[in-house]
Coordinates of all heavy atoms in Angstrom, one line a residue:
M29 N 90.7 -29.2 -131.5 CA 90.3 -30.6 -131.6 C 89.0 -30.8 -130.9 O 88.9 -30.6 -129.7 CB 91.4 -31.5 -131.1 CG 92.6 -31.6 -131.9 SD 92.4 -32.8 -133.2 CE 93.2 -34.3 -132.4
A30 N 88.0 -31.2 -131.6 CA 86.7 -31.4 -130.9 C 86.7 -32.8 -130.2 O 87.4 -33.8 -130.6 CB 85.6 -31.5 -132.0
K31 N 86.0 -32.8 -129.1 CA 86.0 -34.1 -128.4 C 85.1 -35.1 -129.1 O 84.0 -34.7 -129.6 CB 85.4 -33.9 -127.0 CG 86.5 -33.3 -126.0 CD 85.9 -33.1 -124.6 CE 86.9 -32.5 -123.7 NZ 86.3 -32.3 -122.3
E32 N 85.5 -36.3 -129.1 CA 84.7 -37.3 -129.7 C 83.4 -37.6 -129.0 O 83.5 -37.7 -127.7 CB 85.6 -38.6 -129.8 CG 85.1 -39.5 -130.9 CD 86.0 -40.7 -131.0 OE1 87.3 -40.5 -131.1 OE2 85.6 -41.8 -131.1
R33 N 82.3 -37.8 -129.6 CA 81.1 -38.0 -128.9 C 80.9 -39.5 -128.7 O 81.1 -40.3 -129.6 CB 79.9 -37.5 -129.8 CG 79.9 -36.0 -129.9 CD 78.6 -35.5 -130.5 NE 78.6 -34.1 -130.5 CZ 77.5 -33.4 -130.9 NH1 76.4 -34.0 -131.2 NH2 77.5 -32.1 -130.9
T34 N 80.6 -39.8 -127.5 CA 80.5 -41.2 -127.1 C 79.1 -41.6 -126.8 O 78.7 -42.8 -126.6 CB 81.3 -41.5 -125.9 OG1 81.0 -40.7 -124.8 CG2 82.8 -41.4 -126.2
F35 N 78.1 -40.6 -126.9 CA 76.8 -40.9 -126.6 C 76.2 -42.0 -127.5 O 75.5 -42.9 -127.0 CB 76.0 -39.6 -126.7 CG 74.5 -39.7 -126.2 CD1 74.2 -39.9 -124.9 CD2 73.5 -39.7 -127.2 CE1 72.9 -40.0 -124.5 CE2 72.2 -39.8 -126.8 CZ 71.9 -40.0 -125.4
A36 N 76.4 -41.8 -128.8 CA 75.8 -42.8 -129.7 C 76.2 -44.2 -129.4 O 75.5 -45.2 -129.4 CB 76.1 -42.4 -131.1
S37 N 77.6 -44.4 -129.1 CA 78.1 -45.7 -128.9 C 77.5 -46.3 -127.6 O 77.2 -47.4 -127.4 CB 79.6 -45.7 -128.8 OG 80.1 -44.8 -127.8
K38 N 77.3 -45.4 -126.6 CA 76.6 -45.9 -125.3 C 75.2 -46.4 -125.6 O 74.8 -47.4 -125.0 CB 76.6 -44.7 -124.3 CG 77.9 -44.5 -123.5 CD 77.8 -43.4 -122.5 CE 79.1 -43.1 -121.9 NZ 79.1 -41.9 -121.2
M39 N 74.5 -45.6 -126.4 CA 73.1 -46.1 -126.8 C 73.1 -47.5 -127.4 O 72.3 -48.3 -127.1 CB 72.5 -45.1 -127.7 CG 72.2 -43.7 -127.1 SD 70.8 -43.8 -125.9 CE 69.4 -43.8 -126.9
L40 N 74.1 -47.7 -128.3 CA 74.2 -49.0 -129.0 C 74.5 -50.1 -128.0 O 73.9 -51.1 -128.1 CB 75.3 -48.9 -130.0 CG 74.9 -48.2 -131.3 CD1 76.1 -48.1 -132.3 CD2 73.7 -48.9 -132.1
T41 N 75.4 -49.8 -127.1 CA 75.7 -50.8 -126.1 C 74.6 -51.2 -125.2 O 74.3 -52.4 -125.0 CB 76.9 -50.2 -125.1 OG1 77.9 -49.8 -126.0 CG2 77.3 -51.3 -124.2
K42 N 73.7 -50.2 -124.9 CA 72.6 -50.5 -124.0 C 71.5 -51.3 -124.7 O 70.8 -52.1 -124.2 CB 72.0 -49.1 -123.6 CG 71.1 -49.2 -122.4 CD 70.7 -47.8 -121.9 CE 69.9 -47.9 -120.7 NZ 69.4 -46.6 -120.3
A43 N 71.5 -51.1 -126.1 CA 70.5 -51.9 -126.8 C 70.9 -53.3 -127.2 O 70.1 -54.1 -127.7 CB 70.1 -51.1 -128.1
D44 N 72.2 -53.6 -127.0 CA 72.7 -54.9 -127.3 C 71.9 -56.0 -126.5 O 71.7 -55.8 -125.4 CB 74.1 -55.0 -127.0 CG 75.0 -54.5 -128.2 OD1 74.4 -54.2 -129.2 OD2 76.2 -54.4 -127.9
K45 N 71.7 -57.1 -127.2 CA 71.1 -58.2 -126.6 C 72.1 -59.2 -126.2 O 73.1 -59.4 -126.8 CB 70.0 -58.9 -127.5 CG 68.7 -58.1 -127.6 CD 67.8 -58.8 -128.5 CE 66.5 -58.0 -128.7 NZ 65.6 -58.5 -129.7
I46 N 71.9 -59.8 -125.0 CA 72.8 -60.9 -124.6 C 72.4 -62.2 -125.1 O 71.2 -62.5 -125.0 CB 72.9 -60.9 -123.0 CG1 73.2 -59.6 -122.4 CG2 73.9 -62.0 -122.5 CD1 72.9 -59.5 -120.9
I47 N 73.2 -62.9 -125.8 CA 72.8 -64.2 -126.3 C 73.5 -65.3 -125.5 O 74.7 -65.2 -125.3 CB 73.2 -64.3 -127.8 CG1 72.6 -63.2 -128.6 CG2 72.9 -65.7 -128.3 CD1 71.1 -63.3 -128.7
C48 N 72.8 -66.2 -125.1 CA 73.3 -67.4 -124.3 C 74.2 -68.2 -125.2 O 73.7 -68.7 -126.2 CB 72.2 -68.2 -123.6 SG 72.8 -69.7 -122.8
P49 N 75.4 -68.6 -124.8 CA 76.2 -69.4 -125.6 C 75.8 -70.8 -125.7 O 76.2 -71.6 -126.6 CB 77.6 -69.3 -125.0 CG 77.4 -68.9 -123.6 CD 76.1 -68.0 -123.6
E50 N 75.0 -71.3 -124.7 CA 74.5 -72.7 -124.6 C 73.3 -72.9 -125.5 O 73.2 -73.9 -126.2 CB 74.4 -73.1 -123.2 CG 75.7 -73.1 -122.4 CD 75.6 -73.9 -121.2 OE1 74.7 -74.7 -121.0 OE2 76.4 -73.6 -120.2
C51 N 72.2 -72.1 -125.3 CA 71.0 -72.4 -126.0 C 70.9 -71.4 -127.2 O 69.9 -71.5 -128.0 CB 69.8 -72.3 -125.1 SG 69.5 -70.7 -124.5
E52 N 71.7 -70.4 -127.3 CA 71.8 -69.4 -128.4 C 70.4 -68.7 -128.4 O 70.0 -68.1 -129.4 CB 72.0 -70.1 -129.7 CG 73.5 -70.6 -129.7 CD 73.8 -71.2 -131.1 OE1 72.9 -71.5 -131.8 OE2 75.0 -71.3 -131.4
G53 N 69.8 -68.6 -127.2 CA 68.6 -67.8 -127.1 C 68.9 -66.4 -126.5 O 70.0 -66.2 -125.9
V54 N 68.0 -65.5 -126.6 CA 68.2 -64.2 -125.9 C 68.0 -64.3 -124.4 O 67.1 -64.9 -123.9 CB 67.1 -63.2 -126.5 CG1 67.2 -61.8 -125.8 CG2 67.3 -63.0 -128.0
V55 N 69.0 -63.7 -123.7 CA 69.0 -63.7 -122.3 C 68.3 -62.4 -121.8 O 68.6 -61.3 -122.2 CB 70.4 -63.8 -121.7 CG1 70.4 -63.7 -120.2 CG2 71.1 -65.0 -122.2
E56 N 67.3 -62.6 -121.0 CA 66.5 -61.5 -120.4 C 67.0 -61.3 -118.9 O 67.2 -62.2 -118.2 CB 65.1 -61.7 -120.4 CG 64.5 -61.7 -121.8 CD 63.0 -61.9 -121.8 OE1 62.3 -60.9 -121.4 OE2 62.6 -63.0 -122.2
M57 N 67.0 -60.0 -118.5 CA 67.2 -59.7 -117.1 C 65.9 -59.6 -116.4 O 65.0 -58.8 -116.7 CB 68.0 -58.4 -116.9 CG 69.4 -58.4 -117.4 SD 70.5 -59.7 -116.6 CE 70.6 -58.9 -115.0
V58 N 65.6 -60.5 -115.4 CA 64.4 -60.5 -114.7 C 64.6 -60.3 -113.2 O 65.6 -60.9 -112.7 CB 63.7 -61.9 -115.0 CG1 62.4 -61.9 -114.2 CG2 63.5 -62.0 -116.5
K59 N 63.8 -59.6 -112.6 CA 64.0 -59.4 -111.1 C 63.1 -60.4 -110.4 O 61.9 -60.6 -110.6 CB 63.5 -58.0 -110.7 CG 64.0 -57.7 -109.3 CD 64.0 -56.2 -109.0 CE 64.8 -55.9 -107.8 NZ 64.9 -54.4 -107.5
V60 N 63.8 -61.3 -109.6 CA 63.1 -62.4 -108.9 C 63.2 -62.1 -107.4 O 64.2 -61.7 -106.9 CB 63.8 -63.7 -109.2 CG1 63.2 -64.8 -108.4 CG2 63.8 -64.0 -110.7
F61 N 62.0 -62.2 -106.8 CA 62.0 -62.0 -105.4 C 62.0 -63.3 -104.6 O 61.2 -64.2 -104.9 CB 60.7 -61.2 -105.0 CG 60.8 -59.8 -105.5 CD1 60.3 -59.4 -106.7 CD2 61.3 -58.8 -104.6 CE1 60.4 -58.0 -107.2 CE2 61.4 -57.5 -105.1 CZ 61.0 -57.1 -106.3
D62 N 62.9 -63.4 -103.6 CA 62.9 -64.6 -102.8 C 62.6 -64.1 -101.4 O 62.9 -63.1 -100.9 CB 64.4 -65.1 -102.7 CG 64.7 -65.9 -104.0 OD1 63.9 -66.6 -104.5 OD2 65.9 -65.8 -104.4
S63 N 61.8 -65.0 -100.7 CA 61.5 -64.8 -99.3 C 62.6 -65.3 -98.5 O 63.0 -66.4 -98.6 CB 60.1 -65.4 -99.0 OG 60.2 -66.8 -99.2
V64 N 63.1 -64.4 -97.6 CA 64.3 -64.8 -96.7 C 63.8 -64.5 -95.3 O 63.3 -63.5 -95.0 CB 65.5 -63.9 -97.1 CG1 66.6 -64.2 -96.2 CG2 65.9 -64.1 -98.5
K65 N 64.1 -65.6 -94.5 CA 63.7 -65.5 -93.1 C 64.8 -64.8 -92.3 O 65.9 -65.4 -92.3 CB 63.3 -66.8 -92.5 CG 62.6 -66.7 -91.2 CD 62.1 -68.1 -90.8 CE 61.2 -68.0 -89.6 NZ 60.8 -69.3 -89.0
S66 N 64.5 -63.8 -91.6 CA 65.5 -63.1 -90.8 C 65.7 -63.9 -89.5 O 64.7 -64.3 -88.9 CB 65.1 -61.7 -90.5 OG 66.0 -61.1 -89.5
E67 N 67.0 -64.2 -89.2 CA 67.2 -64.9 -87.9 C 67.0 -64.0 -86.7 O 66.7 -64.5 -85.6 CB 68.6 -65.5 -87.9 CG 68.7 -66.6 -88.9 CD 70.2 -67.2 -88.9 OE1 71.0 -66.9 -88.1 OE2 70.6 -67.8 -89.9
K68 N 67.2 -62.7 -86.8 CA 67.1 -61.8 -85.7 C 65.7 -61.6 -85.3 O 65.2 -61.7 -84.2 CB 67.8 -60.5 -86.0 CG 69.3 -60.6 -86.0 CD 69.9 -59.3 -86.3 CE 71.4 -59.4 -86.3 NZ 72.0 -58.1 -86.8
T69 N 64.8 -61.2 -86.4 CA 63.4 -60.9 -86.1 C 62.4 -62.0 -86.3 O 61.3 -61.8 -86.0 CB 63.1 -59.6 -86.9 OG1 63.1 -60.0 -88.3 CG2 64.0 -58.4 -86.7
D70 N 62.9 -63.1 -86.9 CA 62.1 -64.2 -87.1 C 60.9 -63.9 -88.2 O 59.9 -64.5 -88.2 CB 61.5 -64.8 -85.9 CG 61.3 -66.3 -86.0 OD1 62.2 -66.9 -86.6 OD2 60.3 -66.8 -85.5
A71 N 61.2 -62.9 -89.0 CA 60.1 -62.5 -89.9 C 60.7 -62.6 -91.4 O 61.9 -62.7 -91.6 CB 59.8 -61.0 -89.7
F72 N 59.7 -62.9 -92.3 CA 60.1 -63.0 -93.7 C 60.3 -61.6 -94.4 O 59.4 -60.8 -94.1 CB 59.1 -63.8 -94.4 CG 59.2 -65.3 -94.1 CD1 58.4 -65.9 -93.1 CD2 60.1 -66.1 -94.8 CE1 58.5 -67.2 -92.8 CE2 60.2 -67.4 -94.4 CZ 59.4 -68.0 -93.5
K73 N 61.2 -61.5 -95.2 CA 61.3 -60.3 -96.0 C 61.7 -60.8 -97.4 O 62.1 -61.9 -97.6 CB 62.4 -59.4 -95.4 CG 63.9 -60.0 -95.5 CD 64.9 -58.9 -95.1 CE 66.3 -59.5 -95.1 NZ 67.3 -58.6 -94.7
F74 N 61.3 -59.9 -98.3 CA 61.5 -60.3 -99.8 C 62.8 -59.6 -100.3 O 62.9 -58.3 -100.1 CB 60.3 -59.9 -100.6 CG 59.2 -60.8 -100.3 CD1 58.3 -60.6 -99.3 CD2 59.1 -62.0 -101.0 CE1 57.2 -61.4 -99.1 CE2 58.0 -62.9 -100.8 CZ 57.1 -62.6 -99.8
V75 N 63.6 -60.3 -101.0 CA 64.9 -59.8 -101.5 C 64.8 -59.9 -103.0 O 64.6 -61.1 -103.5 CB 66.1 -60.5 -100.9 CG1 67.4 -59.9 -101.5 CG2 66.1 -60.4 -99.4
G76 N 64.9 -58.9 -103.7 CA 65.0 -58.9 -105.1 C 66.3 -59.1 -105.7 O 67.3 -58.5 -105.3
N77 N 66.4 -60.0 -106.6 CA 67.7 -60.3 -107.3 C 67.4 -60.2 -108.8 O 66.5 -60.7 -109.3 CB 68.2 -61.7 -107.0 CG 68.6 -61.9 -105.5 OD1 69.4 -61.1 -105.0 ND2 68.0 -62.9 -104.9
M78 N 68.5 -59.6 -109.4 CA 68.4 -59.6 -110.9 C 69.0 -61.0 -111.4 O 70.1 -61.3 -111.1 CB 69.2 -58.4 -111.5 CG 68.6 -57.1 -111.2 SD 66.9 -56.9 -111.8 CE 67.2 -56.9 -113.5
V79 N 68.2 -61.6 -112.2 CA 68.6 -63.0 -112.7 C 68.6 -62.9 -114.2 O 67.7 -62.4 -114.8 CB 67.6 -64.0 -112.2 CG1 68.1 -65.4 -112.7 CG2 67.6 -64.0 -110.6
Q80 N 69.6 -63.5 -114.8 CA 69.6 -63.7 -116.3 C 68.8 -65.0 -116.6 O 69.2 -66.1 -116.1 CB 71.0 -63.8 -116.7 CG 71.8 -62.5 -116.5 CD 73.2 -62.5 -117.2 OE1 73.7 -63.6 -117.5 NE2 73.8 -61.4 -117.4
V81 N 67.8 -64.8 -117.4 CA 66.9 -65.9 -117.8 C 67.0 -66.2 -119.3 O 66.9 -65.3 -120.1 CB 65.4 -65.6 -117.4 CG1 64.6 -66.8 -117.7 CG2 65.3 -65.2 -115.9
C82 N 67.3 -67.4 -119.6 CA 67.2 -67.9 -121.0 C 66.6 -69.3 -120.9 O 66.1 -69.8 -119.9 CB 68.6 -68.0 -121.6 SG 69.7 -69.2 -120.9
K83 N 66.6 -70.0 -122.1 CA 65.9 -71.3 -122.1 C 66.6 -72.3 -121.2 O 65.9 -73.3 -120.8 CB 66.0 -71.8 -123.5 CG 64.9 -71.1 -124.5 CD 65.1 -71.5 -125.8 CE 64.2 -70.7 -126.8 NZ 64.5 -70.9 -128.2
C84 N 67.8 -72.1 -120.9 CA 68.5 -73.1 -120.0 C 67.9 -73.1 -118.6 O 67.9 -74.2 -117.9 CB 70.0 -72.7 -119.9 SG 70.9 -72.7 -121.4
N85 N 67.5 -71.9 -118.0 CA 67.0 -71.9 -116.7 C 65.7 -71.3 -116.5 O 65.3 -71.1 -115.4 CB 68.0 -71.1 -115.8 CG 68.1 -69.7 -116.1 OD1 67.5 -69.3 -117.1 ND2 68.9 -68.9 -115.3
E86 N 64.9 -71.1 -117.5 CA 63.6 -70.4 -117.3 C 62.6 -71.3 -116.5 O 61.8 -70.7 -115.8 CB 63.0 -70.0 -118.7 CG 62.6 -71.2 -119.5 CD 62.0 -70.7 -120.9 OE1 61.9 -69.5 -121.1 OE2 61.7 -71.6 -121.7
K87 N 62.7 -72.6 -116.6 CA 61.8 -73.4 -115.9 C 62.1 -73.3 -114.4 O 61.2 -73.3 -113.5 CB 61.9 -74.9 -116.3 CG 61.1 -75.1 -117.6 CD 61.4 -76.6 -118.1 CE 60.7 -76.7 -119.4 NZ 61.1 -78.0 -120.1
E88 N 63.4 -73.2 -114.0 CA 63.8 -73.1 -112.6 C 63.3 -71.7 -112.1 O 62.8 -71.6 -111.0 CB 65.3 -73.1 -112.5 CG 65.9 -74.5 -112.7 CD 67.4 -74.5 -112.7 OE1 68.0 -73.8 -111.9 OE2 68.0 -75.1 -113.6
V89 N 63.5 -70.7 -112.9 CA 63.3 -69.3 -112.4 C 61.8 -69.0 -112.3 O 61.3 -68.5 -111.3 CB 63.9 -68.3 -113.3 CG1 63.5 -66.8 -113.0 CG2 65.4 -68.4 -113.3
Y90 N 61.0 -69.5 -113.3 CA 59.6 -69.2 -113.3 C 58.8 -70.3 -112.6 O 57.6 -70.2 -112.4 CB 59.1 -69.0 -114.7 CG 59.6 -67.8 -115.5 CD1 60.3 -68.0 -116.6 CD2 59.5 -66.5 -114.9 CE1 60.8 -66.9 -117.3 CE2 60.0 -65.5 -115.6 CZ 60.7 -65.6 -116.8 OH 61.2 -64.6 -117.4
G91 N 59.4 -71.4 -112.2 CA 58.7 -72.5 -111.5 C 57.9 -73.3 -112.5 O 56.9 -73.7 -112.2
Ligands
LIG108 ZN1 70.7 -70.6 -122.3

């Protein structure tokens, strides 16, 4: 019995687009950097967060 190949199905999953149920637009993953002030060192550092952006929140995310 040959093992079933799952590579093709993985590729398809990766290419799938996320559709927002509210605006029915394509959701993009965007890395957003926030400046966070450290209480210990009193210095600002940048923290990157992956954010899902669609028409519902693009104005908030991009300013
Ligand atoms: Zn949306």
Side-chain angles (χ1 to χ4, degrees):
M29 287 276 265
K31 282 185 182 174
E32 202 174 311
R33 290 189 181 190
T34 56
F35 184 71
S37 58
K38 278 181 187 170
M39 292 289 284
L40 282 174
T41 305
K42 202 173 183 182
D44 274 354
K45 285 179 179 173
I46 306 168
I47 304 296
C48 173
E50 291 195 25
C51 67
E52 296 183 338
V54 177
V55 178
E56 289 181 77
M57 293 300 293
V58 178
K59 195 161 196 179
V60 177
F61 288 91
D62 282 324
S63 57
V64 177
K65 195 174 187 183
S66 169
E67 286 176 21
K68 286 181 185 172
T69 61
D70 214 36
F72 284 97
K73 63 177 180 178
F74 288 91
V75 178
N77 294 306
M78 292 304 292
V79 179
Q80 294 185 342
V81 182
C82 67
K83 285 174 186 170
C84 298
N85 66 350
E86 65 180 1
K87 281 176 186 169
E88 292 171 43
V89 175
Y90 295 124

